[in-house]
Amino acid sequence: FSSIAIPPARPRDLQRCNVRILRWGIQMRGNPNPTFLLFFGANFIGKFILNDVRTVISLKVLAFSLVPVSLGSVVGGYFVGVRRVGFNAASQVLGQMLKIFVTVILVVRLSEGGVESCVMALCLGITLTEIIGFLIQVLCFAYDRYQLPYSL
């Protein structure tokens, strides 16, 4: 597109940025955490907004996937900042493959319970694979940080 050279990010800038994003994501600047809102508000959402009580358990399970998704984005942002998107791409591809594999297994195993069990299997698959995907990204981050000639 253009020939403007973007200088590489400095390690201290990346560290400050990641710490601020992490702190903001956990504290939410005085607002309630979305995980707690979804978990404790699942009864209200299921009964009054979705008009289906069967969704309550699935919403509560899905609430636990919100934190790994946001923290995984922080780690992904680190890889973009240090221009090592290969780690990020590899962990996302592996995470998607795991998501398909785990979700199919859970849906097949829990499909005898009806629609509620199938939806629960989907939400459980999403939650488990988001946690696993985040852990894979953290391992890639630790490996990348160990390989760098400077310390963050």
Side-chain angles (χ1 to χ4, degrees), residues 8 10 76 93 128:
R10 294 181 304 196
V93 168
L128 289 175

Side-chain angles (χ1 to χ4, degrees), residues 92-152:
Q92 285 184 359
V93 168
L94 183 60
Q96 291 298 321
M97 289 176 10
L98 281 172
K99 186 176 287 187
I100 292 168
F101 181 72
V102 169
T103 304
V104 167
I105 288 175
L106 286 172
V107 168
V108 168
R109 299 257 180 185
L110 298 175
S111 64
E112 296 173 1
V115 174
E116 183 179 5
S117 295
C118 286
V119 172
M120 173 68 168
L122 288 172
C123 292
L124 189 61
I126 289 170
T127 302
L128 289 175
T129 55
E130 289 297 339
I131 293 169
I132 292 169
F134 170 65
L135 293 176
I136 291 169
Q137 284 185 319
V138 168
L139 290 174
C140 289
F141 171 76
Y143 176 77
D144 183 62
R145 187 170 174 192
Y146 178 73
Q147 295 297 321
L148 294 176
Y150 48 82
S151 113
L152 294 177

Side-chain angles (χ1 to χ4, degrees), residues 65-106:
S65 70
L66 296 178
V67 172
V69 166
S70 62
L71 295 179
S73 297
V74 171
V75 177
Y78 163 79
F79 287 124
V80 171
V82 296
R83 297 182 183 188
R84 288 180 183 80
V85 294
F87 285 114
N88 192 28
S91 65
Q92 285 184 359
V93 168
L94 183 60
Q96 291 298 321
M97 289 176 10
L98 281 172
K99 186 176 287 187
I100 292 168
F101 181 72
V102 169
T103 304
V104 167
I105 288 175
L106 286 172

Side-chain angles (χ1 to χ4, degrees), residues 13-25 74:
D13 292 341
L14 290 173
Q15 182 182 22
R16 288 182 191 138
C17 180
N18 283 335
V19 167
R20 284 183 181 170
I21 290 171
L22 183 63
R23 191 179 310 145
W24 185 83
V74 171

